[in-house]
Amino acid sequence: MDRPLLLRAEQLKRQLGNRLLWSQLDLELRAGERLGLVATSGAGKTLLLRALALLDPLQAGTIHLRGRSPASWGLPRWRSLVLYLTQRPVAHGGTVEENLRSPWTFQELRGRGGWRRERITGWLEALGRDPAFLAYDAERLSGGELQLLALLRALQLDPTVLLLDEPTASLDRDTSVAVEALLVEWLAAGSRAAVFTSHDSEQIQRFASRTLGLAR
Amino acid sequence: MTPTSSGALTISDGRLALSALLILVNVALSAALRLGLARSLLVASVRMVVQLLLVGFVLEWLFRQDNAPLIVLLGAAMAMIAGVSAVQRTRRRFAGIYLNSLLSVMASAALVTGLAVTGLIQPQPWYDPQYLIPLLGMVLGNTLNGISLGLDRFMEGLRSGRDRVETALALGASRWEACQEVVRDAIRVAMIPTINSMMVMGLVSLPGMMTGQILQGAAPAAAVRYQIVILFMIASATALGVFGVVGLAYRRLTSADHQLRLDRLINAGKQG
């Protein structure tokens, strides 16, 4: 039996000034898939992930999630379901816990699940971190810790499609492997999929269930 | 020197010229420290003198007019100049920024000045240029500063806070939820000068208008009353103007699809 189709993008195009990055790009994502984007630097991997989250206007083409257009979902809803994790994670002032709680104050997310401390501490344990991490000052985290914060902040919202832009770039190898295992487990727990980029070809081999090359 | 009919001493041409020598202090300082300001100082001095002498003539002519459309038209022209100047001091631009600034300046100044001449001061007729034009001028001068500050701070705030705004958007925030901190900060910064000047008013600074009235022989107690009305006018017009211009910029630099549209920002070539 075919796994359900989650995301379908058709005929996407991205141009920066006169430079055409990619065009006529079609992409289908089914539940459980881990799609690795493979391309040289500057080929527009980040821009493709941003386009799928509709953080930039589409220059051409259409995207549907479970057969529905972004407009019919509503854009904030769309982004909470097709969630983009930036290469440069940011936190606001306050503790890690306050940062993890803050998305739940958005109108879109109010009344959907909400803050669950045990879930987060479980994930922290899987990543080899103490629950004391929650009390850390978020503005003093290292680059790697900030990436973990951003990852947990996204995972707790249970998006349908997770868009990961170099998710382990600032992490050591052991933690990277732990993140991959956590993601595999999280993906298996629902009808979910992930698209990711990485400069680490080993990671792509380890983690991707399928790859997509970006070429003109 | 002989007193004029209204009380203040007249400044003769010779003494006016003498006062210009004071600018030599600036020129000497600039030369000694190589600030490179001599030329700008000179241009600014000449502009100030010429503009003010001209305005003196224009006002003398204007105060004899009794033509409402003409006076309102002149007020609109002043508001236009204020709207354009406000934008010229910002570091970045977007399409429609001048229109946004003009709308905000005109709406806020018209509302507040209109209220003052019809309700608070009530000159007869309401468009009496001796009241309307100086009141409008003071409101515009201050609104202009607020709008400059607010616009500049908002655009820079969105640029420097881009990652934070987009992180919120990516997690499902609406554009308002993602940008409200930047909007608030811009409005707050734009209001600071007005609040500061009200705080120290009379203690540190004696405002120009009050000084002028007192020199003209008006009772200080009466001059103070005018000043109070003016300051409230300035505070409310600045707040309205800043709110308007930052709100319009917010709408322009985000989209109905809850996207941040910094691609619409361009650098201002030369700064004014």
Side-chain angles (χ1 to χ4, degrees):
Chain A
M1 200 180 78
D2 240 9
R3 285 174 300 180
L5 177 66
L6 300 179
L7 189 81
R8 165 178 277 160
E10 289 167 298
Q11 298 292 302
L12 300 187
K13 182 186 109 173
R14 181 70 198 211
Q15 203 169 347
L16 275 182
N18 289 329
R19 194 156 66 100
L20 182 67
L21 292 175
W22 27 267
S23 64
Q24 296 181 315
L25 188 144
D26 294 330
L27 188 154
E28 280 192 356
L29 208 58
R30 294 182 177 275
E33 282 196 294
R34 302 184 296 275
L35 177 65
L37 291 183
V38 182
T40 51
S41 295
K45 297 187 291 275
T46 293
L47 288 174
L48 176 56
L49 295 182
R50 287 176 57 93
L52 295 178
L54 291 161
L55 283 166
D56 298 319
L58 287 182
Q59 290 177 339
T62 56
I63 314 181
H64 289 86
L65 178 72
R66 297 185 189 274
R68 284 172 63 187
S69 71
S72 89
W73 285 103
L75 266 295
R77 185 88 202 252
W78 175 277
R79 291 198 193 104
S80 74
L81 295 174
V82 182
L83 207 161
Y84 169 69
L85 264 182
T86 168
Q87 271 186 49
R88 296 185 305 264
V90 286
H92 54 71
T95 63
V96 170
E97 177 170 337
E98 279 162 357
N99 272 274
L100 291 172
R101 280 172 177 270
S102 71
W104 295 111
T105 64
F106 298 150
Q107 198 182 2
E108 180 53 48
L109 292 157
R110 257 176 253 156
R112 271 215 269 149
W115 166 251
R116 281 159 61 192
R117 188 187 160 90
E118 324 77 60
R119 197 177 185 208
I120 300 281
T121 50
W123 285 338
L124 280 174
E125 202 183 328
L127 298 171
R129 293 292 189 284
D130 202 69
F133 182 66
L134 290 177
Y136 287 5
D137 180 352
E139 281 176 329
R140 294 187 169 199
L141 296 182
S142 71
E145 290 173 320
L146 206 51
Q147 277 201 310
L148 292 183
L149 161 63
L151 182 72
L152 298 185
R153 188 170 55 189
L155 280 186
Q156 62 172 347
L157 305 182
D158 286 330
T160 303
V161 176
L162 190 57
L163 308 169
L164 301 157
D165 201 350
E166 299 279 349
T168 59
S170 319
L171 295 172
D172 59 76
R173 199 190 132 90
D174 286 353
T175 312
S176 297
V177 172
V179 164
E180 289 162 25
L182 177 62
L183 283 170
V184 168
E185 191 191 316
W186 175 83
L187 284 165
S191 195
R192 300 164 186 161
V195 184
F196 75 101
T197 69
S198 174
H199 276 105
D200 178 0
S201 54
E202 272 181 48
Q203 182 174 52
I204 293 175
Q205 280 185 355
R206 264 195 325 258
F207 186 63
S209 62
R210 172 164 80 92
T211 61
L212 173 75
L214 272 192
R216 260 155 272 188
Chain B
M1 288 196 201
T2 50
T4 60
S5 55
S6 60
L9 302 171
T10 314
I11 299 177
S12 70
D13 288 351
R15 295 191 184 206
L16 195 62
L18 212 59
S19 77
L21 292 180
L22 286 173
I23 198 71
L24 289 180
V25 174
N26 304 51
V27 174
L29 200 68
S30 171
L33 297 177
R34 296 194 197 161
L35 301 179
L37 291 177
R39 202 185 131 82
S40 315
L41 277 169
L42 223 69
V43 172
S45 303
V46 171
R47 272 189 67 158
M48 184 269 286
V49 170
V50 172
Q51 282 164 202
L52 282 183
L53 287 177
L54 280 177
V55 161
F57 285 121
V58 171
L59 287 181
E60 276 198 23
W61 165 79
L62 186 77
F63 287 177
R64 290 194 300 269
Q65 306 302 310
D66 186 26
N67 182 345
L70 179 79
I71 292 158
V72 169
L73 202 71
L74 192 93
M78 288 165 63
M80 271 187 71
I81 296 171
V84 170
S85 322
V87 174
Q88 274 168 350
R89 284 182 223 164
T90 58
R91 284 169 281 181
R92 295 173 209 283
R93 305 283 154 78
F94 53 85
I97 191 173
Y98 282 99
L99 188 68
N100 287 356
S101 173
L102 279 179
L103 276 175
S104 308
V105 167
M106 284 195 169
S108 61
L111 195 73
V112 172
T113 314
L115 222 76
V117 291
T118 55
L120 298 174
I121 299 178
Q122 296 189 342
Q124 297 299 331
W126 64 268
Y127 55 83
D128 184 347
Q130 193 187 333
Y131 289 89
L132 185 64
I133 297 296
L135 288 177
L136 184 65
M138 271 187 280
V139 167
L140 287 176
N142 287 276
T143 313
L144 179 161
N145 283 332
I147 284 183
S148 264
L149 279 173
L151 257 185
D152 196 58
R153 180 75 171 207
F154 181 66
M155 292 190 286
E156 296 305 315
L158 277 190
R159 270 183 59 90
S160 62
R162 171 188 189 146
D163 286 340
R164 186 179 284 208
V165 169
E166 290 207 316
T167 295
L169 288 174
L171 289 165
S174 68
R175 59 172 160 167
W176 171 246
E177 285 169 327
C179 295
Q180 57 176 337
E181 239 179 274
V182 183
V183 171
R184 286 213 183 93
D185 180 62
I187 294 179
R188 194 182 54 81
V189 164
M191 290 307 297
I192 286 176
T194 309
I195 295 170
N196 280 351
S197 83
M198 281 167 64
M199 286 287 179
V200 299
M201 190 55 63
L203 302 176
V204 178
S205 60
L206 277 186
M209 187 197 89
M210 212 172 94
T211 316
Q213 279 186 309
I214 293 172
L215 284 178
Q216 285 293 326
V224 161
R225 286 171 174 268
Y226 268 96
Q227 193 57 43
I228 291 172
V229 173
I230 292 270
L231 282 171
F232 282 134
M233 288 172 66
I234 286 173
S236 62
T238 305
L240 283 176
V242 168
F243 179 77
V245 86
V246 173
L248 290 169
Y250 157 76
R251 288 190 65 83
R252 184 72 195 150
L253 296 175
T254 58
S255 74
D257 281 345
H258 303 276
Q259 289 153 339
L260 185 60
R261 296 300 305 271
L262 287 184
D263 54 313
R264 289 179 178 158
L265 268 190
I266 45 169
N267 279 327
K270 246 180 101 175
Q271 292 178 29

